[in-house]
Structure formats: structure tokens, C-alpha cells
């Protein structure tokens, strides 16, 4: 595995950032949901299709922004 986002291609950087962001956001919301409801209700909320699509779209937007940031940073150092 490459050590830095600067060493990865555009697509690799995009996929890694989107995946990390998606996992972190879902985990935080699941753990927060456990403080207000039971485990079964929290799992049922995660299986909602609209919920997952919203989180996926959010992670794609975040990943695009961060990938362009790293691409710009790569150009400045090159």
C-alpha cells in the first residue's frame, strides 16, 4: 500500500477517501443512535435504502472535494 495520498492516482485517492468517510460517518451515527434507541432499531435505521443513498452521495461529494485538494497540492509540490 502506498503511504501518501500524493503518491496515489486520482481514482485510488477518490475511492479510499470515499470509503473511509462513509465508514466513519455510518459508525458515528450508529453509535449515536444506540444512545437513543435499542440495538435492533439502530440496525433497522442502517438498512434503510434512502439513508444509505444519502450517505453514499455525501461521501462521493466529500471525496471529490478532497481528491481535487490533494491533486492541487500534488501539482504545487511537483
Amino acid at each position: 500500500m502506498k503511504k501518501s495520498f500524493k503518491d496515489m492516482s486520482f481514482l485510488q485517492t477518490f475511492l479510499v477517501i470515499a470509503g473511509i468517510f462513509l465508514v466513519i460517518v455510518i459508525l458515528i451515527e450508529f453509535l449515536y443512535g444506540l444512545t437513543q434507541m435499542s440495538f435492533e432499531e439502530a440496525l433497522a435505521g442502517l438498512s434503510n435504502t434512502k439513508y444509505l443513498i444519502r450517505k453514499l452521495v455525501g461521501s462521493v461529494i466529500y471525496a471529490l472535494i478532497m481528491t481535487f485538494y490533494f491533486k492541487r497540492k500534488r501539482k504545487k509540490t511537483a
Side-chain angles (χ1 to χ4, degrees):
M1 177 110 191
K2 297 178 182 177
K3 302 229 182 220
S4 173
F5 285 121
K6 291 190 255 180
D7 299 332
M8 294 181 177
S9 70
F10 184 84
L11 184 60
Q12 286 176 324
T13 306
F14 174 79
L15 293 175
V16 168
I17 292 174
I20 291 171
F21 182 77
L22 185 63
V23 168
I24 289 173
V25 166
I26 288 177
L27 185 64
I28 288 172
E29 289 188 0
F30 175 73
L31 293 175
Y32 179 72
L34 284 178
T35 63
Q36 298 177 353
M37 59 186 88
S38 69
F39 183 76
E40 290 81 17
E41 291 172 333
L43 278 179
L46 290 178
S47 64
N48 185 356
T49 308
K50 287 183 181 180
Y51 169 81
L52 292 175
I53 289 173
R54 284 195 313 250
K55 297 303 166 203
L56 187 62
V57 168
S59 68
V60 166
I61 292 170
Y62 177 78
L64 275 174
I65 292 168
M66 292 307 295
T67 304
F68 281 120
Y69 168 76
F70 284 122
K71 181 180 172 187
R72 183 173 169 227
K73 193 174 184 179
R74 216 177 319 180
K75 282 184 180 179
K76 283 186 177 182
T77 60

